[in-house]
Amino acid sequence: EVQLVESGGGLVQPGGSLRLSCAASGFTFSRYNMHWVRQAPGKGLEYVSAISSNGDSTYYANSVKGRFTISRDNSRNTLYLQAGRLRAEDMAVYYCARDGFPNFDFWSGYYMDYWGQGTLVTVSS
Amino acid sequence: DIQMTQSPSTLSASVGDRVTITCRASQSISSWLAWYQQKPGKAPKLLISKASSSESGVPSRFSGSGSGTEFTLTISSLQPDDFATYYCQQYNSYSRTFGQGTKVE
């Protein structure tokens, strides 16, 4: 059974940083591109970042570029999102999600088939 | 980035109703469109990919259609478990974007 379990969310002051983790199991993690999607309270889904299966390629939405860093450790089956210089508008539930097909071309785009339960990031003083 | 616009934003319906949600892309995305269902406090669940391919286990009352810039999600007979928010998402490019969502209440 595919499982994605996020952790690392919490309360952080504006300007602070946080590292989110996503532990994957039930599939060959190293074969899949992975994603972060967030949802502000009461709002819709926002695509944040992605990383290729081998970690060589990354993508960031303009809203987080230069402040967030996505990475992965295929030996630990774990995806990360280092979120820095946090702002009030970064407050959201952060979901990790898996590409719908293994070893798909990172720059071509694919849907996301499995999602974690999310971790809440609260930015407040 | 490709913009995705869903309509309506909110839809009031009753059990047994036929429900249709529309999603429009700001440029052609061929059939690279997915639909997700989200219930309060839960992660999105993939319903349909490639505009019209239903995922395994998704009830047959859910169907998708369209190509290019205009797409629809249809629920043929609304069931109590279907009251949720639905999102379309384009994956024509690596900068995937979501519609703003349609709440079925």
Side-chain angles (χ1 to χ4, degrees), chain A residues 1 7-8 11-12 26 29-30 46 55 57 60 67 76 80-81 84 102 111 113 120:
Chain A
E1 179 193 5
S7 61
L11 175 64
V12 60
F29 180 71
S30 61
E46 181 187 9
S57 299
Y60 300 95
R67 300 188 298 121
R76 295 177 183 269
Y80 302 101
L81 185 68
Y111 58 85
D113 62 352
L120 175 63

Side-chain angles (χ1 to χ4, degrees), chain A residues 39 47 95 110-112 116, chain B residues 36 38 42-43 49 87 96:
Chain A
Q39 186 169 37
Y47 188 63
Y95 296 100
Y110 214 73
Y111 58 85
M112 292 160 275
Chain B
Y36 300 88
Q38 188 181 33
K42 300 294 186 181
S49 61
Y87 294 92
R96 300 154 180 83

Side-chain angles (χ1 to χ4, degrees), chain A residues 6-81:
Chain A
E6 300 94 336
S7 61
L11 175 64
V12 60
Q13 292 187 337
S17 62
L18 215 54
R19 188 175 85 155
L20 308 182
S21 300
C22 171
S25 61
F27 66 102
T28 306
F29 180 71
S30 61
R31 297 183 66 199
Y32 288 81
N33 303 327
M34 295 294 294
H35 311 269
W36 288 99
V37 177
R38 70 183 180 184
Q39 186 169 37
K43 301 297 184 182
L45 301 169
E46 181 187 9
Y47 188 63
V48 173
S49 184
I51 188 167
S52 60
S53 57
N54 63 6
D56 285 353
S57 299
T58 58
Y59 166 83
Y60 300 95
N62 287 336
S63 57
V64 306
K65 197 175 294 183
R67 300 188 298 121
F68 288 16
T69 302
I70 191 171
S71 62
R72 65 190 296 160
D73 185 340
N74 285 346
S75 67
R76 295 177 183 269
N77 292 339
T78 304
L79 174 72
Y80 302 101
L81 185 68

Side-chain angles (χ1 to χ4, degrees), chain B residues 49-103:
Chain B
S49 61
K50 209 175 179 185
S52 60
S53 298
S54 293
E55 292 301 295
S56 174
V58 172
S60 59
R61 62 183 179 273
F62 290 92
S63 64
S65 65
S67 66
T69 62
E70 188 150 337
F71 303 85
T72 59
L73 173 70
T74 300
I75 308 173
S76 60
S77 177
L78 194 68
Q79 298 302 300
D81 191 46
D82 302 338
F83 290 96
T85 300
Y86 294 85
Y87 294 92
C88 62
Q89 179 225 335
Q90 67 81 16
Y91 53 99
N92 183 68
S93 72
Y94 56 86
S95 58
R96 300 154 180 83
T97 46
F98 292 91
Q100 80 278 17
T102 296
K103 183 178 182 180

